[in-house]
Amino acid sequence: MHILTAEERSYYLDKYPIDDFFSFDIDPFLEVCKFDKGEWIFQEGSFPDTLYYMIEGKAKIYMTHKNGKVSLIEYPEAPRFMGEIELLNEARYTKGVQTVTETICFSITQSCKEKLLTDVLFLRKLCVFLGEKATKITSKYTQNQAYPLENRLAAFIQLSSDQGIYKEKHTEICEYLGVSYRHLLYVLAQFCEEKILEKKKNGYHIMNRKRLSELAQEIQ
Amino acid sequence: MHILTAEERSYYLDKYPIDDFFSFDIDPFLEVCKFDKGEWIFQEGSFPDTLYYMIEGKAKIYMTHKNGKVSLIEYPEAPRFMGEIELLNEARYTKGVQTVTETICFSITQSCKEKLLTDVLFLRKLCVFLGEKATKITSKYTQNQAYPLENRLAAFIQLSSDQGIYKEKHTEICEYLGVSYRHLLYVLAQFCEEKILEKKKNGYHIMNRKRLSELAQEIQ
DNA sequence: ACAATAATGTGAGATATCTCACATTTTTCA
DNA sequence: TGAAAAATGTGAGATATCTCACATTATTGT
C-alpha cells in the first residue's frame, strides 16, 4: 500500500466526491491510497484502525476455519466501506481482505472517530450500507443451502460471464460458492456434457443460454 | 397483536428504559404491544411500516425459496430491533417473522421516521446492531458450509440444552441448521449409538459431555 | 531461461445429505 | 371427543459433495 501524491489525491477526490457523506470537513482526515493487485488490506485476525472507502477495484473477504477450510465470504466491489464494523466496535478483529485488482481507497484515520460517530449523514450512510450487507449475505447463504451447485453455478455464470464467455479462476469460485474444487469441475464438466457450455482456450463459452437461465432461475 | 393499556405500557417502559436510544422524546411515537405465541409479526413479502424493538420473547425469521424449501435464518431474541432495514430503505419487503413465545415489543410508527433518521444516538445504536447482525449471520453460514452436521449439531445442542437435556423441535432445528429432517434424525441416532446422547421420554439426555464438546469445538 | 509455485485437471472411492414413501404418535381445534 | 394436522420416526435408494493422490499446464520471480 502506498499513499498517493497530492496531485493524484485531488484527482480522485474530484472524481469520486465524498463530501456529502459527512457534515464536517473530512479533508484533513483523509488520504488516498493504492493497493497492488493481491495485496492484503486487512490481515485476518488483526485489529484494524483505519476505515477505508474503496473507490476503484475489487477484493475478496476471507475467513479461515479451524479445520483449515477457507470461506470466501464476499466479493466487495467499489464503491463501499471496509473496516466499518471495527470502527463501531472496539477491538473487533477482522476477516482477511485481499485485493483482486489494483485498488484505490480513501483511508480515514480513527483520529476523527468521535466526529464520525456523531455525524448523522455518515451514520445514516453506514446504516444503509450495513443493512444491505446483511441482506445480501443472508440471501447468498440461504441460497447456498437451498440449492445444489448446479443452480447456483448457473446463476453465477450468468452474472460473471462477459460476452458469453465464463472465465473465472476455479480456485476462487469454489471457495466463493462453498464447494470443493473437485466438485466445481464436475459440474462444469456436466454443463459441457449437456452442451450448455463449451470449453475453449479462452474460457467456457455459453452455448445454451436458455437452459442456463432455466437452471439459474430456480433460484429466487 | 394487541396494544397494551396505559398501565401496562408504563410498566414496560419502566422495566426496559429506552430513552437513551433517542435524543428526542420518543414517548408520543411509541406503543407497547403484545404478540401471542406463534403469531406473525411480519408476513413474508409484505412491506412493513413499523419499527419494533423486542423487549421480551423469542421469534423466528424465515424465508421461503422458489423451490419450496424454507430457511430459518435467525432466532431473534429480546432485546433487539425488527423492521429496521425497512425503515432505512423505502419499500423493502420483509422476511417472515413469527413469534416462538409470547412477545412484547415497543412499536415505533414511521411518523417519526424523519426524526429517527437524523438522530445520532439512534443511528449509532442501529449501526452497532446491524454490524453485529451481519457478523453473526456470516459466521453462522460460513460454519454451515465448512462443517458437517455432526459438528454443528453438537455445538447447537450445547447451546440450547437445559439441565443436560436437549428437547428442541426437530422440524424447526433442521430448518435452522439447513439440513433435511431425515438427516437431522440420522445424526441424532448416531449420537445415541455412540452413547453421546440417550433418548428418553422428556428429551435427549447428554451422556458424554466431553465428547460432545470435542465435536462442537471443531468449530472455531 | 529455469526452477518454483500456482492453477488446472482427472480418477476412484468415501461420506454427507436428500428424496420419497409410508407408519406412528402427539397436538390442535371445531 | 373425534377428525385433521403436525410432528415424529424409519427404510431404502439416489445424489451431491468431499477427500486424496497424482498428472499436466500456466505463471511468476530471479
Side-chain angles (χ1 to χ4, degrees), chain B residues 31-87:
Chain B
E31 298 285 359
V32 182
C33 55
K34 179 187 269 183
F35 292 90
D36 292 331
K37 174 178 170 174
E39 196 174 348
W40 290 87
I41 296 179
F42 297 134
Q43 209 69 38
E44 188 171 350
S46 68
F47 299 85
D49 58 355
T50 309
L51 173 68
Y52 290 108
Y53 187 73
M54 183 195 261
I55 51 174
E56 287 188 358
K58 278 201 285 187
K60 295 184 285 186
I61 301 186
Y62 277 116
M63 82 170 275
T64 308
H65 298 268
K66 256 196 176 175
N67 65 359
K69 285 201 186 177
V70 172
S71 294
L72 206 182
I73 297 165
E74 240 185 303
Y75 257 124
E77 289 195 36
R80 62 161 276 165
F81 287 107
M82 284 180 308
E84 75 289 345
I85 299 205
E86 294 75 15
L87 176 80

Side-chain angles (χ1 to χ4, degrees), chain A residues 23-56:
Chain A
S23 33
F24 62 96
D25 183 17
I26 193 69
D27 203 75
F29 304 101
L30 187 151
E31 298 286 359
V32 182
C33 55
K34 178 187 269 182
F35 292 89
D36 292 331
K37 173 178 170 173
E39 196 174 347
W40 290 87
I41 296 179
F42 297 133
Q43 209 69 38
E44 188 172 351
S46 69
F47 299 85
D49 59 355
T50 308
L51 173 68
Y52 290 108
Y53 188 74
M54 183 195 262
I55 51 174
E56 286 187 0

Side-chain angles (χ1 to χ4, degrees), chain A residues 170-171 181-182 185-186 199:
Chain A
H170 299 155
T171 36
Y181 178 85
R182 189 67 188 87
L185 283 219
Y186 264 137
K199 188 177 170 182

Side-chain angles (χ1 to χ4, degrees), chain B residues 169-198:
Chain B
K169 289 211 166 169
H170 299 155
T171 36
E172 254 174 39
I173 302 315
C174 66
E175 281 170 354
Y176 183 64
L177 295 173
V179 298
S180 67
Y181 178 85
R182 189 70 189 84
H183 190 54
L184 175 59
L185 285 219
Y186 264 137
V187 177
L188 279 171
Q190 211 172 282
F191 281 4
C192 291
E193 182 94 356
E194 293 168 35
K195 307 259 189 279
I196 297 168
L197 299 180
E198 193 173 318

Side-chain angles (χ1 to χ4, degrees), chain B residues 30-204:
Chain B
L30 187 150
E31 298 285 359
V32 182
C33 55
K34 179 187 269 183
F35 292 90
D36 292 331
K37 174 178 170 174
E39 196 174 348
W40 290 87
I41 296 179
F42 297 134
Q43 209 69 38
E44 188 171 350
S46 68
F47 299 85
D49 58 355
T50 309
L51 173 68
Y52 290 108
Y53 187 73
M54 183 195 261
I55 51 174
E56 287 188 358
K58 278 201 285 187
K60 295 184 285 186
I61 301 186
Y62 277 116
M63 82 170 275
T64 308
H65 298 268
K66 256 196 176 175
N67 65 359
K69 285 201 186 177
V70 172
S71 294
L72 206 182
I73 297 165
E74 240 185 303
Y75 257 124
E77 289 195 36
R80 62 161 276 165
F81 287 107
M82 284 180 308
E84 75 289 345
I85 299 205
E86 294 75 15
L87 176 80
L88 292 162
N89 299 82
E90 303 290 336
R92 176 66 65 84
Y93 69 85
T94 178
K95 314 252 183 287
V97 181
Q98 184 183 30
T99 65
V100 174
T101 62
E102 188 179 271
T103 295
I104 315 283
C105 295
F106 293 145
S107 95
I108 296 165
T109 70
Q110 291 219 353
S111 62
C112 62
K113 185 170 171 174
E114 280 318 306
K115 281 190 169 196
L116 289 172
L117 294 183
T118 53
D119 185 340
V120 163
L121 272 182
F122 171 72
L123 289 173
R124 192 168 348 158
K125 281 269 184 212
L126 204 52
C127 278
V128 170
F129 170 72
L130 287 168
E132 274 171 10
K133 180 167 162 175
T135 305
K136 230 157 91 182
I137 292 179
T138 302
S139 94
K140 173 188 162 185
Y141 283 109
T142 52
Q143 280 175 17
N144 269 12
Q145 66 182 202
Y147 295 93
L149 183 59
E150 184 179 48
N151 301 115
R152 291 181 283 134
L153 181 58
F156 185 76
I157 289 174
Q158 286 194 322
L159 257 175
S160 61
S161 63
D162 186 33
Q163 321 252 41
I165 300 176
Y166 168 81
K167 60 195 258 197
E168 301 294 318
K169 289 211 166 169
H170 299 155
T171 36
E172 254 174 39
I173 302 315
C174 66
E175 281 170 354
Y176 183 64
L177 295 173
V179 298
S180 67
Y181 178 85
R182 189 70 189 84
H183 190 54
L184 175 59
L185 285 219
Y186 264 137
V187 177
L188 279 171
Q190 211 172 282
F191 281 4
C192 291
E193 182 94 356
E194 293 168 35
K195 307 259 189 279
I196 297 168
L197 299 180
E198 193 173 318
K199 189 176 168 182
K200 295 195 179 165
K201 267 263 170 71
N202 61 343
Y204 290 81

Side-chain angles (χ1 to χ4, degrees), chain A residues 84-98:
Chain A
E84 75 288 345
I85 300 205
E86 294 74 16
L87 176 80
L88 292 162
N89 300 79
E90 304 290 335
R92 175 68 63 83
Y93 68 87
T94 180
K95 315 253 182 286
V97 180
Q98 184 183 30

